[in-house]
Amino acid sequence: MDAEQKLTPLYDALIELKDRDSISFHVPGHKFGEVFSEKGQKQFQSILEMDATEITGIDDLHAADGVIQKAQNLVSKFFESRQSYFLVGGTTSGNLAAVMAVCRPGDTVLVQRNCHKSILHGLEIACAKPVFLMPDFEGESGRYSQVTVEHIEEALDMYPDIKAVFLTYPDYFGRVFDMGNVCEAIHSYDIPVIVDEAHGVHFKLGHPFPRSSLELSCDVVIQSAHKMAPAMTMASYLHVQGDRVNQTQLEYYLQVFQSSSPSYPLMASLDLARRYLAAYDQADKGELITYIDKLREIWEHASDYWQLIPQGEWDDPLKLTLKINEDLSGYQVADVLERQDIYPELATERQILLTVGLAPTINLETLRTRLAEVNCQLKKWSINATINVAQLSFPRLQSLDMNYIDMQLKSSEFVDWKGAIGRVCAESIVPYPPGIPLILKGERISKEQEAHVKALYEQGARFHNTNVESGIRVF
């Protein structure tokens, strides 16, 4: 570990402030934990002691020139970026800022169709004209995963006025594609590549993890440090390299989309997470891979109701995916797992995602015992309990049926699903997690989509939509 990477300037400054026993005539109102509900004070106390505000000595995220800037510079050096920024609003805030930094009203942009909803929100705010690119469906993963150079060149030839390309790498399940060649193809048109790498902050650690899109020359890369590294929820990094993106614009929109009172505990956790990653060595990797191998063996032999999907060079070993057999749905199996206090990351109709940390954390014998009970419970389910959901197909390239400017000027109405078929959707339909829309706002609703959403809801899928069981807002 590089000696400089051992430093944690922001965290150290907060600890020094706490140790000085300073007198607070400033916010926040809990006064370093002195004013707090008796219930919960013991659990929150150590965090509250670091929950400061922009006073002398601990810098200001939005005009950083002290310990925050030093901490961000250490992140930049570790990830080898031109510049790196702390995000306290999650990768969502970084995605929004990146979209606004490269888009103007009416700009045509290429967007991976199965992107996170925050990218779509940014495009809507920017009044951009998205062209959606759907990755190829992969039988081995059972998902739309592969973006290829051929995809990109087809889109850029068909839409020569594209101003930026937005990609997701890896997907929620840890699957990647040949980003190096894809990025090179896009750059040959001198177009910036913005990557939502929410689930890939640990790719910097090298083999056996896939390569990071930052290493593969993408222009802006946003990472959720809290997802796969030890940082607090909502803590993310944004990295910039090259000069295809206006950095002044980007910094402006980072201020627009982030709180003017950013959380110091969140930022300190980013400082510490970078140090953790920088200290991670081959011995840590060896221990991790041994642990993952044991986990895979346990899950593989725990039940006949699922199979563990094999992994290859395009997969993150920290993501384990169960393929559920046809007698049950992923939602049903996840429900039984949760009853035994085993909580997966997400479920779909046919798969369950398990996310592993960068170090062993689970008692394997406890896991075996609970999975044995899960298997017993699953045997009680009726074979007829599953509602079959046909795999939706998507066009390779697609634009919206109504643009964002027109949608802003129109009134919407809530209708039942039967009445929605053929109408333009006024709200993206988003199962969460993973937060990827099944139906896009501005897209005309098909009968197949209507049937798919209803079947998922009946199976137990959760949506970021109210009253989705009965209808949808349309134009």
Side-chain angles (χ1 to χ4, degrees):
M1 180 183 182
D2 182 271
E4 189 179 33
Q5 288 295 325
K6 294 181 180 179
L7 302 176
T8 52
L10 176 56
Y11 173 76
D12 292 347
L14 293 172
I15 295 300
E16 289 170 12
L17 176 66
K18 176 182 77 72
D19 290 344
R20 288 202 301 268
D21 193 25
S22 59
I23 297 173
S24 170
F25 283 101
H26 57 76
V27 298
H30 60 69
K31 302 298 179 181
F32 295 107
E34 295 294 327
V35 182
F36 205 72
S37 169
E38 182 179 350
K39 181 177 182 179
Q41 185 167 23
K42 178 181 177 181
Q43 286 71 26
F44 274 84
Q45 185 61 38
S46 62
I47 294 297
L48 296 174
E49 290 173 356
M50 291 192 297
D51 188 25
T53 191
E54 294 84 354
I55 58 176
T56 302
I58 57 173
D59 210 357
D60 181 343
L61 177 64
H62 297 305
D65 60 3
V67 290
I68 293 176
Q69 187 57 45
K70 289 178 182 178
Q72 290 183 142
N73 287 343
L74 286 169
V75 172
S76 181
K77 288 180 181 179
F78 175 68
F79 284 96
E80 300 179 274
S81 68
R82 174 180 169 183
Q83 192 157 342
S84 296
Y85 301 88
F86 286 170
L87 303 176
V88 294
T91 292
T92 289
S93 62
N95 284 343
L96 292 170
V99 171
M100 294 300 293
V102 299
C103 289
R104 298 295 173 268
D107 279 356
T108 301
V109 294
L110 185 63
V111 187
Q112 193 170 322
R113 171 65 173 77
N114 51 348
C115 66
H116 188 266
K117 65 177 186 174
S118 58
I119 295 287
L120 300 175
H121 292 161
L123 295 173
E124 182 176 357
I125 295 169
C127 292
K129 292 183 178 179
V131 174
F132 296 100
L133 180 153
M134 194 65 196
D136 282 341
F137 184 81
E138 290 186 298
E140 57 184 307
S141 68
R143 298 186 304 275
Y144 291 91
S145 306
Q146 284 300 303
V147 177
T148 66
V149 171
E150 290 73 24
H151 279 151
I152 296 298
E153 291 182 340
E154 177 185 351
L156 295 179
D157 287 344
M158 189 176 297
Y159 299 91
D161 55 344
I162 283 174
K163 297 294 194 297
V165 177
F166 298 89
L167 299 173
T168 303
Y169 174 104
D171 69 8
Y172 210 122
F173 290 78
R175 186 82 164 174
V176 300
F177 52 85
D178 187 0
M179 178 63 87
N181 283 329
V182 165
C183 184
E184 183 179 356
I186 298 167
H187 281 169
S188 69
Y189 293 78
D190 197 29
I191 294 172
V193 182
I194 291 84
V195 181
D196 179 346
E197 195 172 273
H199 290 260
V201 66
H202 58 300
F203 288 1
K204 172 62 179 173
L205 299 176
H207 183 77
F209 306 112
R211 296 175 71 189
S212 170
S213 55
L214 193 62
E215 179 188 356
L216 298 171
S217 301
C218 297
D219 300 278
V220 175
V221 177
I222 307 106
Q223 301 168 328
S224 295
H226 66 95
K227 289 192 184 296
M228 305 305 296
M232 291 178 69
T233 297
M234 292 178 68
S236 293
Y237 300 123
L238 184 147
H239 311 284
V240 181
Q241 60 186 355
D243 56 6
R244 290 185 179 87
V245 174
N246 186 318
Q247 201 162 323
T248 301
Q249 283 286 92
L250 180 63
E251 290 177 353
Y252 168 73
Y253 284 111
L254 284 174
Q255 292 194 33
V256 169
F257 291 112
Q258 297 202 93
S259 171
S260 60
S261 300
S263 164
Y264 276 82
L266 261 63
M267 290 189 287
S269 79
L270 286 169
D271 198 14
L272 293 167
R274 181 267 314 155
R275 186 187 190 280
Y276 178 91
L277 292 172
Y280 205 85
D281 59 19
Q282 287 302 123
D284 294 319
K285 287 184 185 178
E287 182 184 24
L288 176 66
I289 295 307
T290 299
Y291 170 64
I292 290 174
D293 287 344
K294 291 177 180 177
L295 281 176
R296 292 187 67 88
E297 181 181 6
I298 290 171
W299 280 97
E300 184 69 64
H301 297 99
S303 177
D304 292 332
Y305 290 99
W306 61 66
Q307 302 168 15
L308 201 57
I309 294 180
Q311 291 187 324
E313 62 176 320
W314 301 108
D315 297 295
D316 177 5
L318 295 188
K319 300 292 185 74
L320 281 59
T321 305
L322 305 179
K323 180 182 178 182
I324 309 304
N325 72 17
E326 294 184 358
D327 292 341
L328 296 166
S329 77
Y331 305 111
Q332 291 169 326
V333 174
D335 180 62
V336 177
L337 287 169
E338 290 180 359
R339 292 181 194 179
Q340 294 301 317
D341 290 319
I342 300 173
Y343 290 88
E345 174 66 20
L346 69 85
T348 68
E349 59 269 28
R350 292 263 64 90
Q351 297 185 354
I352 290 177
L353 173 63
L354 311 169
T355 299
V356 182
L358 282 167
T361 58
I362 296 169
N363 184 301
L364 300 183
E365 289 310 310
T366 299
L367 178 62
R368 288 183 199 274
T369 300
R370 293 186 184 180
L371 285 177
E373 181 59 30
V374 167
N375 193 50
C376 291
Q377 294 299 317
L378 289 175
K379 291 178 180 178
K380 299 177 182 178
W381 283 87
S382 167
I383 287 179
N384 297 321
T386 300
I387 304 162
N388 290 323
V389 182
Q391 179 68 54
L392 277 178
S393 61
F394 297 90
R396 187 158 175 166
L397 291 171
Q398 172 189 7
S399 56
L400 295 176
D401 294 284
M402 184 181 294
N403 65 53
Y404 290 126
I405 294 176
D406 287 345
M407 282 188 271
Q408 289 180 7
L409 300 175
K410 284 185 173 292
S411 297
S412 65
E413 61 175 328
F414 186 86
V415 300
D416 63 25
W417 277 103
K418 185 176 181 181
I421 297 171
R423 301 281 295 274
V424 173
C425 190
E427 56 171 333
S428 291
I429 302 301
V430 184
Y432 196 87
I436 297 168
L438 285 175
I439 308 176
L440 299 167
K441 183 176 181 178
E443 178 180 20
R444 202 168 297 279
I445 301 165
S446 70
K447 185 176 181 180
E448 291 73 21
Q449 288 173 321
E450 175 260 350
H452 193 85
V453 172
K454 290 176 70 174
L456 290 183
Y457 180 82
E458 290 175 24
Q459 280 193 6
R462 292 176 292 167
F463 289 82
H464 270 187
N465 303 86
T466 56
N467 300 319
V468 72
E469 72 280 8
S470 55
I472 183 175
R473 297 203 70 84
V474 295
F475 293 112

